[in-house]
Amino acid sequence: LVLASALLVVSSLRVPVASTLRVPVASTLRVPVPPRMTTTAAPEPGDPSLILNVNRKLKDKKSFLQASSKAIAECFSKPEMYVAVCVNDDVDVLFGGSDDAAAVGCVYSIGAINQANNGAVTAKLSALLLEHGGVADNRIYLNFFDVPRANCGWSSKTFAG
C-alpha cells in the first residue's frame, strides 16, 4: 500500500523521465529528479559598486578610493577593473542623533552578496574609514544589495539584455 501510494504521488509529478534516480526498495522505485540548475555568472562591469557618505573630510581621498576599490574586488573575488566607488566626504550625516564621525553606505553587486563576503567588506572598509577619517566601526552602517541583472544598466542596456 505504501509503495502504491508513493507510485501514485511520483506519477503525478511532471518531471522529464530522462532524469531519474533509482532507489532500491522491495522492487525498484523510480523517483524523478529535477534537472540540475547551474549558474556561472562572470563578473560584469560596474559590478560591484560602493556609494559611501562620510561626515568627515578624508585625509587622502584618492588613496581611500583606491584602497576601497581594491578591498571590494578582493572580498567579492571580482576583477578590480569592474568595481565602481563613489565617496562623498564632509557631508551631513547623523548617527544615533550625534554628528560625531560617522559613515553610511550601500554596496551593490550582481551576485557575490553573502554573509562571508559582506563581513569581509565591512571589516576592510571599517579599517579604512578609521585610518582615513577617524570613523569608529560602531558608527558605520553598510547595506548590501544583490542586484538582479535586469536592474543593473551599463553600456546603454541592462545585464539581462
Side-chain angles (χ1 to χ4, degrees):
L1 181 61
V2 173
L3 182 58
S5 297
L7 288 174
L8 181 60
V9 170
V10 169
S11 65
S12 67
L13 297 175
R14 296 186 188 212
V15 178
V17 178
S19 59
T20 60
L21 173 66
R22 293 187 184 265
V23 179
V25 189
S27 65
T28 302
L29 171 67
R30 293 170 53 95
V31 179
V33 177
R36 191 178 344 178
M37 294 175 42
T38 58
T39 57
T40 54
E44 300 288 356
D47 166 41
S49 59
L50 165 70
I51 300 172
L52 184 66
N53 296 289
V54 185
N55 67 354
R56 294 293 183 265
K57 184 90 172 141
L58 297 175
K59 293 176 187 172
D60 182 353
K61 190 170 182 178
K62 183 174 182 178
S63 173
F64 179 85
L65 286 162
Q66 291 170 333
S68 296
S69 178
K70 182 178 180 181
I72 290 168
E74 288 174 358
C75 292
F76 286 149
S77 299
K78 297 203 178 193
E80 189 176 0
M81 66 184 284
Y82 297 144
V83 176
V85 176
C86 174
V87 176
N88 303 300
D89 63 343
D90 203 20
V91 297
D92 295 333
V93 175
L94 283 181
F95 191 107
S98 166
D99 66 352
D100 292 343
V104 63
C106 297
V107 180
Y108 304 92
S109 183
I110 299 171
I113 298 294
N114 60 52
Q115 185 175 356
N117 291 350
N118 299 353
V121 168
T122 299
K124 287 191 177 195
L125 290 179
S126 294
L128 289 169
L129 281 164
L130 182 60
E131 176 188 345
H132 290 268
V135 182
D137 63 356
N138 66 342
R139 303 224 3 114
I140 302 167
Y141 273 154
L142 293 173
N143 297 291
F144 294 84
F145 299 93
D146 194 349
V147 181
R149 299 176 74 77
N151 293 349
C152 188
W154 174 74
S155 192
S156 302
K157 60 184 177 187
T158 70
F159 290 110

